[in-house]
Amino acid sequence: MTTTAPGGPVAAELPFFVYGTLLPGEPNHDLFLRGRTAGERPAVLPRALLYDGPGYPYAIEGHGRVHGTLLVAAPGVYGELLGLLDHLEEFLGPGHPRNLYERVAREVELPGEAGVAGVADAGDGAGESVRAWVYLAAAAVTRSLRTGGVLIPGGRWTTGRTPGGS
């Protein structure tokens, strides 16, 4: 199935890779995801770097790995979830000059053996790759991060924050 994305292009109903405030235990997980997912599984975004932001992180293209969670929308709520996440991430449409993030389809790695509802399992226990929507920093934000941003070593946002931080 497909749905209409901001600006008119058709968006495939891919799972979502999240790496910041939407992670389990983080503030936006319950606000935006509770009751809207059919499965969640640890995942890794290869060829990406993670930068600290004002209370939330930004992933950009780079020579590293970002750790997060792959989540699958619950039956019947994909369009609602896509709209909520696009709004939260300030994604107005592909290449829009006011985007804070760009929603892009990328391969994410699923380590381990356990499958997740709605995500195909390779069955060999060696892990697999799945195509998913990822919100990467928009072009202007990426330029700023590359010149003066704070890189989060190891690509794990929750461990990249100071204790008691947001």
Side-chain angles (χ1 to χ4, degrees), residues 8-117:
V10 173
E13 286 195 10
L14 299 175
F16 297 90
F17 175 80
V18 299
Y19 54 85
T21 65
L22 290 164
L23 288 169
E26 295 296 331
N28 284 332
H29 185 273
D30 282 350
L31 288 173
F32 291 91
L33 301 177
R34 183 183 297 220
R36 294 184 177 102
T37 65
E40 299 178 8
R41 180 173 174 188
V44 176
L45 177 64
R47 297 174 305 283
L49 296 171
L50 194 62
Y51 281 86
D52 201 11
Y56 46 87
Y58 294 100
I60 68 169
E61 301 282 344
H63 299 292
R65 298 165 61 81
V66 173
H67 297 267
T69 299
L70 183 79
L71 53 95
V72 176
V77 301
Y78 188 86
E80 174 192 3
L81 183 58
L82 181 68
L84 285 169
L85 296 180
D86 281 352
H87 179 75
L88 173 68
E89 306 295 5
E90 297 183 41
F91 172 70
L92 303 174
H96 194 286
R98 291 193 330 232
N99 283 348
L100 185 59
Y101 292 87
E102 289 286 340
R103 178 170 33 89
V104 298
R106 290 279 305 272
E107 293 295 318
V108 298
E109 298 170 356
L110 300 173
E113 300 179 28
V116 66

